[in-house]
Amino acid sequence: MEVKTSLLDNMIGVGDMVLLEPLSEDSFLENLKNRFDHNEIYTYIGSVVISMNPYRSLPIFTPDKVEEYRNRNFYELSPHIYALADEAYRSLRDQDKDQCILITGESGAGKTEASKLVMSYVAAVCGKGQEVNKVKEQLLQSNPVLEAFGNAKTVRNDNSSRFGKYMDIEFDFKGDPLGGVISNYLLEKSRVVKQPRGERNFHIFYQLLSGASDDSLKKLKLHRDFSKYNYLSLDSAAVNGLDDSANFRTVRNAMQIVGFMEDEVQSVLELVAAVLKLGNIEFKPESRCNGTDESRIKDKNDLKEMCELLGIEQSVLERAFSYRTVEAKMEKVSTTLNVAQAYYARDALAKNLYSRLFSWLVTRINESIKAQAKTRHKVMGVLDIYGFEIFEDNSFEQFIINYCNEKLQQIFIELTLREEQEEYIREDIEWTNIEYFNNAIICDLIENNKNGILAMLDEECLRPGTVTDETFLDKLNTICAEHQHFESRLSKNSMFLSDHSLPHSCFRIQHYAGKVLYRVEGFVDKNNDLLYRDLSQAMYKANHSLIKQLFPEGNPAKVNLKRPPTAGFQFKASVGTLMRNLQTKNPNYIRCIKPNDKKASHIFTDSLVRHQLRYLGLMENVRVRRAGYAFRQPYEPCLERYKMLCKRTWPHWRGPAREGVEVLMSELPVPAEEFSYGRSKIFIRNPRTLFFLEERRRQCLQDLATLIQKIYRGWKCRSHFLLLKKSQIVVAAWYRRYAQQKKYQRIKSATTVVQSYTRGWQARKLLRELKYQKRCEEAVTTISAYWHGTQIRREYRKFFRANAGKKIYDFTIQRIMQKYFLGLKSNLPSMSPIDKKWPARPYLFLDGVHTELRRIFHLWRCKKYRSQFTEEKKAVYEEKLEASEIFKDKKALYPSSVSQPFKGDYLEISKNPKYQKLSSAMEEKVLLADVVNKINRANGKGTARIFLLTKNSVVLADQKTGQVKASVPLPDLTSVSVSTQSDGFFALKLKEGSASAVKGDFLLSSEHLIEIITKMHRMGTTAADREQLDIDISDEFLVQFKHDKVCVKFIQGVPKNGNSVSCKRKNNRLLEVSVPTTA
Ligand SMILES: Nc1ncnc2c1ncn2[C@@H]1O[C@H](COP(=O)(O)OP(=O)(O)O)[C@@H](O)[C@H]1O
Ligand SMILES: [Mg+2]
C-alpha cells in the first residue's frame, strides 16, 4: 500500500508556518534554518511557498518526484514547489481559473530557477502527443535563448536576469499546452557598454567568442580573444561553473528548436559581432579653425569591418559619428560632435542595437510559440522579474527595477493581507485587525502622475532649456521633500542636511525592502534614451534586413518630429498593464529567499534572511493566516465542489447555496469551530479540514466515476446488444427472405414438373384418344374400302377370272417346290447307305415330302448298292441276312460274327490231300467243312471232329483219319438248340425213331456256330420238300442221350484252366456249361 506522507507528518521543523508555535520572528527564522540545514528548502505559509536558494543541486527535482506530486493534494506531501505548480495547474485545468505564478525575491534568490522548475513540472504533467510535445519543447527552449541574450553575471548572481520576463502559457480545455506569449521588461542595456567591477557583459558575447567555430568567427570578423574588445570587461571573463562554449551550442540548438531559420541566426550573430566592433571604434580630438573641437575616428579598420558586417556604407556611418542634425521648424541644423559626444553616440548606438535585437528576439520567439488555435484558452502566467537590488552605485535601472518590485509587493499585499482582512470584515467574520506595512505610499511616490518621481523626470526631459540631472534632483527636492520615504540632502526637509551617507548628487528612497541610494547622474539621458537621428538613419540605410527592421524611425519617409516616449514612461505603462493582467488571475506565490551573499551552499546568514523575511512581510502573512482561515470559498462553488459528500445535497440542492453548505457541513464529522459562515463564503480554519474534505471528495468521485462507468458500460452494452439485435433481425429477415425464395423456387419447379407431367399425361391421353380416333377413322376407311372393294368386286366379279388366285398360288408353290428340288439335287448326300446326312428342310409345309424323299433316296441308294453285287456275293449276303434274322438280338455270339465272312470250306477239303478219301466219299458238294468239338455225352469232354455239311446231310468224321463217324440226313434233324450266350455249343436234335437217332442227339461246339446253323437252316428253306429246321435259343434245353434226356444248362462262370468254356456232367440229367461272362 502506498505510504502517504502528509505535510503534518514526519516534519523537520514545521512545514507550514501557520502551524508554528509559538510564532515569533526568531522561531520563524529558527524554523527556516532548521529546515534549510536538513535540505528542506521549501516551507509553506498557507498556500504561499517560501523557497530558499540551496546553491547546489538537490535530488528533489527528479521525474519520480514529479510523479509523486502529480495529482496530489497540496497539503498531502511535504512542501515543494511542485505542489504549488500542481495545485495551480489542476485548478487551471479542473476549475477553469486562469493562474499566475508570482515569483519574487532578491537578485540571486532563485526566481529564474523556480520559474523553470514550475514550467518543467507543468510540461511533465500536462498532456502528451506529437504536437503537444513540440509546443512544450519550444516553450522550454525559449529560456536558454533569452538567458543567453538577457542574463549576465553580477556580483549577486552568476546568471542574473537583466530583464523582466512574464510568460503566459496557454492551455486548451484538456490542459494541453497550446503555446505562449512572452513579455519582456526593460533590459538593462547600459550593461552592453559598461559593467561594474566583477561583473560581465551579457553571456552571448562570451559564448559567441568561445563557442563559435573558427570559420564562423572569421565570417563575423571576430577574434577569439576577449581582451581585444573594449565592451567586454576582463576581470571576470571566465566564470566558475559556466561553460560558455557548451552553452553556445545549447543556445544554437535551442534557437533551432524554437524555429529560427539559419539565416536569422546568422543575422543575429552579425549584430552581436557588430556591437563588439562598435565598442572598438575610438575617437580622437581634432581642433578646427573656428576653435571648436571635432572628433575623428582613430582607426577605421573596426569601423570598416563593422560596416561590412551590417552592409552599411562606411562614409555614412562615419559622418553620423561626426555630425548631429537637428530638425526644428522645418529647418535642418547640423552641428559637429566633439569626442565625448561621439563616444556617447557610439554607446547609444550599441545599447540601442542590442536592446532592440533583444526585443526582436522576444517577438520572434513569440511568433514561433504563439497558440495556433483561436479557441478560448486558459492561461498560466509565470512572472520572473528582476529582484530587488541594492548596489553600491544605484542608477536609473535599479530605480526602475526596485519600482517594479514595489509594485509586486503591492499586489501581494493587495491580494493576501489587505484583501484577506477586508474580506473577513466584508463577510462579517469575527476578526481582530492585524497591522502590516502597506507600501502603496512608496508606489505613489514613484508613479504618481502629478508629482511622482517618474512624472517629474519626464517633465524635466521634455522641458525646453538646459536640462541636467541636477535640475531634475532640484525638482525632486522641492516636490518630494515632504514625502516620508524620500530622503535628500538638499530637500527642504532639513532632516538629512547633516547626513553624510547621503551625497549631494543622490536621493534615497525607503523601499519596502530597505533604503536605496540612487545616484542621479544619467537619469535624464537614460530616461530620454536618445539616439541621434543621423545614426538611426544610417542604420536604416544598411543593406541588412534585420538592422533595417530594428530602426524603423530611420526611414526618411517617416520622419517623426514627436519625441519618442521616455523609458520611464514606457516602463510604468507596461508595469501597469502587467499588474492589471495579474489581478485578473488567481495568484500563486513563490517567495524566494537568499540564505547568504556568497552564493555558497550550507551557509545560512541569519541577518540577511531576517532582513528578507521582514521586508517580504512574511510574518504578517503568517499572522493573518493564523488569525483567519486557511481556506475560503464562495458558497456556490463550495457546494458545487463538495455536494457529493452528503446525500441531501447530492445531486442537486434546490435551496440557497449557503443553506446547502450548512446542511453539508452539519452532516460531515467536522467540529463546528473549524469553519465559519461568511456572507457569501465559507471559511475553513485548518488545512486539515480542507484536506479531509478533499479526501472525502476524491473517494466520492472515485465512487461516482465507478457509477458513471457502470452506467456507461451498461449503456454501451445495451446499445451494442440492441445493435446486434437489430442486425440480427435484418440478417434474419434477409435469411428468411432468401429461404422463402428458395422454397418458393423449389415449389415452383416442383409445380412445373408436376404440371408438365400432368400436361404430358393429358397430352398423351389426348394423343391416345386422337390416335384411337384416327385408327377408328382408318379402320372405318379400311372397312369401308373393303366394303366398297367387296361391293365393287362383287359387282365386277363377272369381269375377272374366277381362279386366278389359285393359279397364282399353285404357281408359287410350284416355283417353291422347283427351287426346293433343284436345291436338293445339288445338295444330295453321298451314296453310301450308311450315310446319315440329309439337308435341312426349308419349308414347314414340305415336312412330309422331305421325309419321304429321304426315305426314297435311301432306298434308291441301297438298291443301287445292291445292284452292283455278283451272284456269289449275293448268296453270301443272303446267308448273312438269314443269320441276322435268326440270331440278331437273341444270341450274344452273333455280333462278333457279323464281320467274319462265311467261308464255308475252312478245311479246303477238295484240295487238301489229307482229306482226299473223305472228299471222294462225299457224293454231293460240301457246303461247309470245319473242325468241331463233339461233347462226350458221358463226361462232357470234347473230341475234335470234322464237320461237313452237304445239301442233304451232315457228316461227322474223324479229324485224323478222315473216317466218317456219323452221317445224318438233314430230314432227320428236327431242331437245333443253342444258348443265348457267347459260347459255340449247339445241340442237333434228331427225329425220334430215325436211324440216326440211335445214339442220341449230338452236342457239338464250333467257332463258326453262326455260319453252321445259318447254312443248315438255309438247307431247310431252299429244299421245298423238307420241313423247316427249328432253331431253339435258350439257356436250358433237353438233349436225348440214348435213353436219357439230359438237361444242358448254361451258366455264367469263371473260366477254368485257360479254357474259355468248360462243360461238365453234373449228374444223369444235368450237363452244366459254364460260359465266361462277356464283357
Ligand atoms: N532550486 C535550486 N537548486 C539549486 N540551485 C539553485 C536553485 N535556485 C537557485 N539556484 C542557484 O542560484 C543561482 C541564482 O538563481 P536565479 O534563479 O538565477 O536567481 P534570480 O533569478 O532570483 O536572480 C542559480 O544560478 C543557481 O546556481
Ligand atoms: Mg533571474
Side-chain angles (χ1 to χ4, degrees):
M1 218 188 95
E2 193 185 356
V3 181
K4 271 189 191 169
T5 56
S6 159
L7 175 67
L8 306 158
D9 302 328
N10 309 324
M11 272 296 146
I12 292 151
V14 180
D16 190 341
M17 291 294 185
V18 175
L19 307 173
L20 190 65
E21 206 66 55
L23 178 68
S24 67
E25 204 172 83
D26 290 335
S27 64
F28 192 112
L29 200 67
E30 192 50 41
N31 189 35
L32 269 187
K33 184 171 168 22
N34 185 16
R35 289 177 64 74
F36 179 76
D37 289 344
H38 287 89
N39 296 333
E40 287 286 348
I41 60 168
Y42 298 111
T43 310
Y44 294 153
I45 303 177
S47 59
V48 174
V49 174
I50 303 172
S51 160
M52 303 282 287
N53 187 348
Y55 281 121
R56 71 200 157 99
S57 60
L58 293 175
I60 54 170
F61 307 112
T62 54
D64 287 349
K65 276 282 169 189
V66 172
E67 278 311 309
E68 196 181 324
Y69 279 86
R70 185 176 187 158
N71 289 332
R72 297 292 283 274
N73 204 285
F74 189 74
Y75 298 107
E76 211 173 317
L77 299 172
S78 57
H80 201 293
I81 192 166
Y82 285 170
L84 176 127
D86 192 67
E87 177 78 6
Y89 175 68
R90 276 194 295 143
S91 83
L92 168 116
R93 189 189 60 191
D94 303 341
Q95 298 177 2
D96 202 13
K97 281 189 196 160
D98 284 352
Q99 302 290 319
C100 66
I101 312 238
L102 302 182
I103 308 169
T104 54
E106 287 187 25
S107 176
K111 299 182 295 297
T112 307
E113 293 297 323
S115 79
K116 286 193 255 181
L117 286 171
V118 169
M119 277 163 65
S120 63
Y121 179 83
V122 171
V125 299
C126 68
K128 295 192 170 52
Q130 211 183 358
E131 198 53 38
V132 173
N133 286 352
K134 191 184 158 203
V135 173
K136 276 189 212 173
E137 193 61 10
Q138 287 192 332
L139 289 175
L140 292 179
Q141 290 300 328
S142 66
N143 264 333
V145 181
L146 291 181
E147 282 192 9
F149 286 86
N151 286 22
K153 176 198 162 44
T154 65
V155 283
R156 302 220 148 69
N157 184 352
D158 288 348
N159 181 33
S160 179
S161 320
R162 306 319 298 162
F163 66 105
K165 179 180 154 200
Y166 173 73
M167 181 165 182
D168 262 337
I169 309 172
E170 297 168 335
F171 295 86
D172 66 3
F173 69 98
K174 302 192 294 297
D176 291 348
L178 295 171
V181 184
I182 298 172
S183 313
N184 63 317
Y185 300 98
L186 197 73
L187 180 76
E188 188 204 35
K189 57 189 170 189
S190 61
R191 184 170 296 273
V192 177
V193 297
K194 189 161 183 282
Q195 305 91 37
R197 275 195 93 90
E199 300 198 354
R200 288 211 314 183
N201 208 327
F202 293 101
H203 293 324
I204 187 67
F205 295 112
Y206 306 94
Q207 288 176 355
L208 175 64
L209 292 184
S210 33
S213 65
D214 292 337
D215 223 29
S216 48
L217 277 188
K218 205 171 155 199
K219 254 195 224 164
L220 297 172
K221 303 179 196 301
L222 292 176
H223 300 280
R224 218 175 267 291
D225 190 358
F226 299 155
S227 63
K228 288 229 159 68
Y229 299 100
N230 294 338
Y231 279 166
L232 303 183
S233 64
L234 284 180
D235 50 344
S236 55
V239 181
N240 264 358
L242 261 186
D243 183 348
D244 286 318
S245 65
N247 286 346
F248 184 66
R249 284 193 292 279
T250 314
V251 172
R252 291 285 316 245
N253 185 40
M255 286 177 97
Q256 198 191 347
I257 291 173
V258 172
F260 282 84
M261 300 294 163
E262 208 38 54
D263 61 320
E264 285 176 323
V265 177
Q266 186 58 27
S267 299
V268 169
L269 295 181
E270 278 165 8
L271 255 67
V272 174
V275 171
L276 285 177
K277 292 268 161 208
L278 202 54
N280 285 359
I281 297 174
E282 288 182 343
F283 305 96
K284 58 181 182 205
E286 206 177 80
S287 301
R288 284 181 69 177
C289 38
N290 60 5
T292 52
D293 257 357
E294 232 182 69
S295 76
R296 280 278 173 276
I297 294 173
K298 266 192 205 165
D299 176 5
K300 290 190 184 166
N301 194 37
D302 281 304
L303 177 75
K304 184 175 150 256
E305 281 180 356
M306 181 201 159
C307 288
E308 277 168 10
L309 269 179
L310 300 185
I312 303 174
E313 219 174 289
Q314 193 181 330
S315 58
V316 176
L317 195 58
E318 209 177 326
R319 200 194 132 75
F321 280 135
S322 315
Y323 295 94
R324 180 184 173 193
T325 312
V326 181
E327 278 176 58
K329 293 173 189 160
M330 310 305 282
E331 245 185 296
K332 272 192 189 174
V333 184
S334 263
T335 53
T336 54
L337 299 178
N338 61 24
V339 172
Q341 285 170 323
Y343 275 118
Y344 176 85
R346 180 197 73 173
D347 288 349
L349 179 62
K351 287 190 280 185
N352 267 287
L353 204 55
Y354 191 81
S355 72
R356 290 180 194 211
L357 171 66
F358 186 74
S359 300
W360 178 85
L361 280 171
V362 173
T363 319
R364 178 66 188 78
I365 290 172
N366 279 340
E367 236 169 65
S368 281
I369 63 174
K370 81 166 173 241
Q372 302 295 329
K374 289 270 184 295
T375 48
R376 201 195 88 78
H377 30 244
K378 309 169 188 186
V379 175
M380 180 185 281
V382 181
L383 180 69
D384 167 27
I385 208 145
Y386 17 53
F388 191 81
E389 275 176 357
I390 311 172
F391 289 118
E392 262 174 43
D393 209 359
N394 301 296
S395 181
F396 182 71
E397 286 85 1
Q398 278 65 46
F399 178 71
I400 290 292
I401 289 171
N402 291 343
Y403 160 63
C404 180
N405 279 278
E406 284 291 350
K407 289 295 283 182
L408 282 177
Q409 174 68 7
Q410 174 70 56
I411 201 169
F412 176 71
I413 289 169
E414 288 265 329
L415 296 176
T416 54
L417 305 176
R418 200 199 66 226
E419 258 291 291
E420 179 135 355
Q421 300 203 41
E422 281 175 7
E423 183 168 36
Y424 290 137
I425 296 159
R426 212 169 42 239
E427 291 283 332
D428 218 2
I429 299 279
E430 211 176 297
W431 174 253
T432 41
N433 213 41
I434 304 268
E435 280 305 318
Y436 64 91
F437 170 69
N438 190 342
N439 71 339
I441 185 164
I442 306 173
C443 295
D444 187 68
L445 170 68
I446 298 170
E447 68 180 2
N448 189 306
N449 279 340
K450 261 210 252 135
N451 50 11
I453 297 176
L454 283 175
M456 279 182 291
L457 183 59
D458 280 357
E459 224 176 87
E460 271 301 292
C461 290
L462 299 175
R463 182 170 63 80
T466 41
V467 175
T468 60
D469 295 322
E470 285 69 39
T471 58
F472 165 61
L473 186 58
D474 283 346
K475 194 164 191 163
L476 284 187
N477 284 340
T478 38
I479 295 179
C480 303
E482 302 290 298
H483 202 282
Q484 284 166 270
H485 293 269
F486 182 80
E487 298 171 5
S488 164
R489 208 56 191 279
L490 296 174
S491 71
K492 285 176 184 163
N493 195 338
S494 55
M495 237 172 81
F496 302 101
L497 269 175
S498 53
D499 188 345
H500 293 288
S501 65
L502 187 61
H504 288 291
S505 60
C506 299
F507 65 93
R508 193 156 57 193
I509 294 180
Q510 278 184 34
H511 283 291
Y512 77 101
K515 291 181 176 181
V516 181
L517 185 73
Y518 296 101
R519 190 173 294 278
V520 82
E521 186 194 322
F523 262 61
V524 172
D525 272 349
K526 284 175 180 169
N527 191 40
N528 264 331
D529 193 18
L530 262 188
L531 180 66
Y532 298 147
R533 186 167 292 134
D534 304 71
L535 278 173
S536 52
Q537 282 175 353
M539 287 296 124
Y540 184 79
K541 280 187 192 140
N543 186 18
H544 190 280
S545 60
L546 185 52
I547 290 276
K548 240 190 170 60
Q549 272 182 53
L550 296 185
F551 293 89
E553 82 273 18
N555 186 349
K558 289 185 189 161
V559 175
N560 189 357
L561 290 179
K562 239 177 87 187
R563 284 171 83 74
T566 61
F569 180 84
Q570 281 182 33
F571 189 74
K572 195 175 112 183
S574 55
V575 165
T577 321
L578 174 66
M579 294 304 139
R580 281 192 295 282
N581 183 0
L582 294 180
Q583 269 160 348
T584 61
K585 298 191 164 84
N586 186 45
N588 300 272
Y589 293 100
I590 300 170
R591 318 227 74 187
C592 297
I593 291 181
K594 201 158 99 173
N596 60 66
D597 258 338
K598 301 187 178 71
K599 303 176 197 169
S601 54
H602 299 299
I603 298 180
F604 189 93
T605 314
D606 279 9
S607 58
L608 188 71
V609 178
R610 190 187 295 270
H611 175 68
Q612 290 174 73
L613 66 93
R614 266 187 204 158
Y615 75 69
L616 287 175
L618 297 183
M619 283 302 292
E620 289 93 332
N621 196 186
V622 180
R623 277 200 211 103
V624 172
R625 271 274 153 187
R626 275 164 67 102
Y629 296 82
F631 179 77
R632 74 221 52 193
Q633 201 170 30
Y635 290 119
E636 279 84 10
C638 177
L639 183 63
E640 192 58 35
R641 189 163 179 80
Y642 300 112
K643 64 181 178 180
M644 69 288 288
L645 303 185
C646 160
K647 279 193 177 134
R648 288 171 63 193
T649 52
W650 179 257
H652 298 294
W653 175 258
R654 300 286 172 205
R658 179 178 172 149
E659 276 169 34
V661 173
E662 279 171 8
V663 166
L664 176 74
M665 294 310 284
S666 65
E667 298 257 318
L668 288 168
V670 181
E673 64 275 11
E674 266 301 307
F675 51 86
S676 293
Y677 300 109
R679 281 184 209 275
S680 64
K681 288 179 182 172
I682 180 168
F683 289 78
I684 293 172
R685 197 175 293 277
N686 206 311
R688 274 177 199 272
T689 311
L690 182 69
F691 174 49
F692 165 75
L693 287 178
E694 280 294 314
E695 185 55 29
R696 286 286 290 264
R697 179 175 182 271
R698 200 176 58 79
Q699 284 167 2
C700 271
L701 282 185
Q702 274 174 7
D703 294 347
L704 287 175
T706 315
L707 183 72
I708 292 170
Q709 233 174 30
K710 184 185 89 178
I711 291 173
Y712 169 74
R713 288 203 182 131
W715 169 83
K716 205 173 151 192
C717 280
R718 209 164 38 250
S719 32
H720 183 63
F721 166 74
L722 288 175
L723 190 74
L724 283 184
K725 196 173 151 190
K726 218 168 114 185
S727 317
Q728 185 269 331
I729 291 171
V730 172
V731 171
W734 278 93
Y735 174 72
R736 284 202 192 117
R737 187 189 130 150
Y738 166 79
Q740 285 298 327
Q741 262 174 358
K742 282 269 148 194
K743 194 175 161 193
Y744 166 75
Q745 275 161 5
R746 239 181 11 250
I747 292 174
K748 194 176 158 187
S749 62
T751 314
T752 317
V753 170
V754 171
Q755 220 172 42
S756 67
Y757 273 100
T758 323
R759 287 200 184 134
W761 173 72
Q762 281 178 340
R764 276 193 301 282
K765 195 176 153 198
L766 183 67
L767 182 69
R768 247 191 338 268
E769 280 170 7
L770 288 174
K771 271 185 177 170
Y772 176 73
Q773 214 173 333
K774 195 178 166 196
R775 264 209 319 279
C776 282
E777 279 166 13
E778 277 172 2
V780 167
T781 318
T782 312
I783 290 168
S784 70
Y786 273 97
W787 172 240
H788 283 296
T790 315
Q791 277 189 327
I792 298 293
R793 270 192 303 281
R794 223 180 253 161
E795 205 177 315
Y796 286 87
R797 182 166 293 160
K798 48 196 174 203
F799 305 113
F800 285 96
R801 289 227 196 115
N803 47 1
K806 187 163 181 337
K807 281 212 164 162
I808 290 164
Y809 174 78
D810 288 347
F811 175 77
T812 314
I813 293 293
Q814 245 173 32
R815 292 305 307 160
I816 291 171
M817 298 283 270
Q818 207 169 23
K819 192 178 163 198
Y820 167 64
F821 285 131
L822 286 172
L824 200 59
K825 184 187 153 201
S826 59
N827 237 345
L828 280 178
S830 72
M831 290 302 284
S832 165
I834 52 169
D835 189 359
K836 293 264 193 274
K837 276 197 258 161
W838 187 247
R841 163 182 53 104
Y843 301 106
L844 186 65
F845 75 97
L846 289 174
D847 194 20
V849 181
H850 194 68
T851 324
E852 188 58 21
L853 276 173
R854 183 180 186 176
R855 198 184 60 82
I856 291 169
F857 176 77
H858 184 69
L859 289 179
W860 174 73
R861 181 164 72 176
C862 293
K863 189 174 175 271
K864 271 271 190 200
Y865 190 76
R866 275 193 318 268
S867 64
Q868 26 174 319
F869 289 179
T870 56
E871 272 309 307
E872 289 118 79
K873 215 173 177 184
K874 202 171 169 183
V876 169
Y877 275 98
E878 272 171 3
E879 269 177 9
K880 278 279 179 189
L881 183 67
E882 215 165 314
S884 156
E885 280 165 2
I886 299 165
F887 293 107
K888 191 178 178 188
D889 299 332
K890 290 172 188 159
K891 181 140 174 90
L893 187 63
Y894 173 71
S896 64
S897 74
V898 173
S899 58
Q900 292 169 4
F902 290 175
K903 258 181 162 174
D905 187 2
Y906 290 95
L907 304 178
E908 291 181 343
I909 234 136
S910 49
K911 291 170 197 165
N912 198 338
K914 206 172 141 189
Y915 304 121
Q916 207 168 12
K917 203 173 134 194
L918 185 58
S919 136
S920 57
M922 289 288 123
E923 299 147 14
E924 293 149 324
K925 192 185 169 206
V926 175
L927 295 176
L928 186 139
D930 197 12
V931 175
V932 295
N933 250 346
K934 182 184 166 271
I935 306 300
N936 191 318
R937 294 164 182 118
N939 55 12
K941 287 188 177 147
T943 320
R945 289 283 190 267
I946 293 170
F947 180 89
L948 296 174
L949 177 68
T950 65
K951 199 173 172 189
N952 293 314
S953 58
V954 173
V955 177
L956 290 173
D958 190 280
Q959 193 196 7
K960 287 169 190 158
T961 59
Q963 190 189 340
V964 177
K965 290 279 189 173
S967 175
V968 180
L970 284 178
D972 288 348
L973 278 175
T974 54
S975 66
V976 181
S977 288
V978 290
S979 77
T980 62
Q981 299 182 37
S982 59
D983 58 293
F985 281 79
F986 64 99
L988 297 177
K989 293 190 178 167
L990 303 173
K991 205 185 261 174
E992 280 180 44
S994 65
S996 321
V998 179
K999 285 188 181 170
D1001 301 337
F1002 293 99
L1003 184 61
L1004 304 170
S1005 129
S1006 166
E1007 282 176 16
H1008 303 106
L1009 169 83
I1010 301 296
E1011 189 178 351
I1012 293 171
I1013 302 290
T1014 307
K1015 283 204 164 140
M1016 277 170 34
H1017 186 260
R1018 246 180 105 78
M1019 291 300 114
T1021 338
T1022 49
D1025 56 335
R1026 243 183 274 164
E1027 269 178 61
Q1028 185 71 35
L1029 182 69
D1030 280 340
I1031 294 165
D1032 172 28
I1033 301 170
S1034 127
D1035 285 339
E1036 249 181 64
F1037 50 81
L1038 291 172
V1039 182
Q1040 190 73 43
F1041 285 166
K1042 287 184 182 166
H1043 306 296
D1044 304 322
K1045 281 204 186 228
V1046 176
C1047 178
V1048 181
K1049 192 173 179 182
F1050 292 84
I1051 56 161
Q1052 296 196 335
V1054 194
K1056 278 182 191 160
N1057 314 330
N1059 280 340
S1060 54
V1061 180
S1062 68
C1063 184
K1064 218 170 179 181
R1065 181 78 185 243
K1066 286 279 179 183
N1067 53 38
N1068 303 1
R1069 304 236 169 237
L1070 181 65
L1071 187 83
E1072 209 173 67
V1073 182
S1074 105
V1075 184
T1077 331
T1078 44

